[in-house]
Amino acid sequence: MRALLPALTLCLAAAACEQNGPEIPNSAQAAAENAAVTANEAVNAAQAPRSILRPEVVTEPEEEKVEPVHAAIGFGTSGLKLDDAGRGALDALLDAPAMKAGGSITLRGHSDTRGSDGDNRVASRIRAEAVRDYLVKKGVAKDRITLVALGETRPIAPNAHEDGTDDPEGRAKNRRVEIDIALPPDDSPPPVVPTLPAEAKAQKE
């Protein structure tokens, strides 16, 4: 009987170990591991772009779509000079993606039918030159721009009423410059981006 006691004691100790399960890790070590995981998650969350309305949704930046532009600048009341409305419309065109992409620009000048055909063709060219000069003044390369003087040949409104009387509103609509901005060719070189010299860059940083 006494010989069986040590063996029985060993069995009971083994059973107790199995019931208690594996050794519990040190609490300080576990807390440090949890803190490291939490810090890594915070860094990853800060680096990922998030939606303002739904922070859990990651958003991708949208590429600016470049399309050709067709617009018209009126010279209805100003005659041969740009007015404030015309300058404002040109300022808006300067921000168009096609304008920034460097595509060619065609300016087609038009006139009404008052005066001779030759005089109207000259007037239409003067209007196109006024638009060109404004764009060049704003930094657009002159060699991108082509002028076409069409005179009175392509009206968009009647110059006279059906009874033959004058139509001032129709003539005003015909005094215009149409602007077409094309897309740059696929094989055109990318725009040159100025870079700072290494020394200047280091000073800036």
Side-chain angles (χ1 to χ4, degrees):
M1 183 69 178
R2 290 180 179 178
L4 294 175
L5 286 176
L8 182 59
T9 301
L10 292 173
C11 291
L12 292 175
C17 290
E18 291 179 357
Q19 291 176 358
N20 291 335
E23 183 180 355
I24 299 175
N26 183 278
S27 58
Q29 181 180 357
E33 292 176 354
N34 291 335
V37 172
T38 302
N40 289 334
E41 291 177 350
V43 171
N44 293 335
Q47 292 176 347
R50 299 286 180 177
S51 168
I52 297 176
L53 299 179
R54 297 180 60 192
E56 72 278 7
V57 179
V58 178
T59 58
E60 295 293 338
E62 295 183 0
E63 293 184 0
E64 193 173 26
K65 190 174 183 181
V66 181
E67 295 181 344
V69 174
H70 177 78
I73 303 298
F75 286 76
T77 58
S78 59
L80 301 176
K81 297 181 180 180
L82 281 170
D83 56 15
D84 290 340
R87 285 187 287 269
L90 290 176
D91 288 339
L93 282 179
L94 290 171
D95 289 329
M99 180 72 81
K100 295 179 180 180
S104 62
I105 304 168
T106 302
L107 306 178
R108 295 179 174 87
H110 301 268
S111 71
D112 58 20
T113 55
R114 177 171 291 182
S116 67
D117 180 67
D119 290 342
N120 289 333
R121 192 174 295 274
V122 171
S124 67
R125 182 173 184 84
I126 293 174
R127 294 184 182 108
E129 289 174 345
V131 173
R132 178 201 61 193
D133 293 344
Y134 187 83
L135 293 177
V136 171
K137 181 180 178 181
K138 291 292 185 175
V140 178
K142 190 174 182 179
D143 58 4
R144 290 176 56 188
I145 303 174
T146 301
L147 302 184
V148 180
L150 295 170
E152 61 186 68
T153 59
R154 297 185 184 179
I156 59 173
N159 289 284
H161 296 292
E162 293 183 357
D163 60 1
T165 58
D166 185 37
D167 186 346
E169 293 183 2
R171 286 192 295 102
K173 292 178 181 179
N174 291 327
R175 296 192 294 271
R176 71 198 188 279
V177 173
E178 294 181 348
I179 305 171
D180 287 287
I181 307 174
L183 300 182
D186 294 336
D187 58 351
S188 61
V192 177
V193 179
T195 56
L196 293 174
E199 297 179 358
K201 186 176 181 181
Q203 292 177 358
K204 185 178 180 180
E205 293 176 352

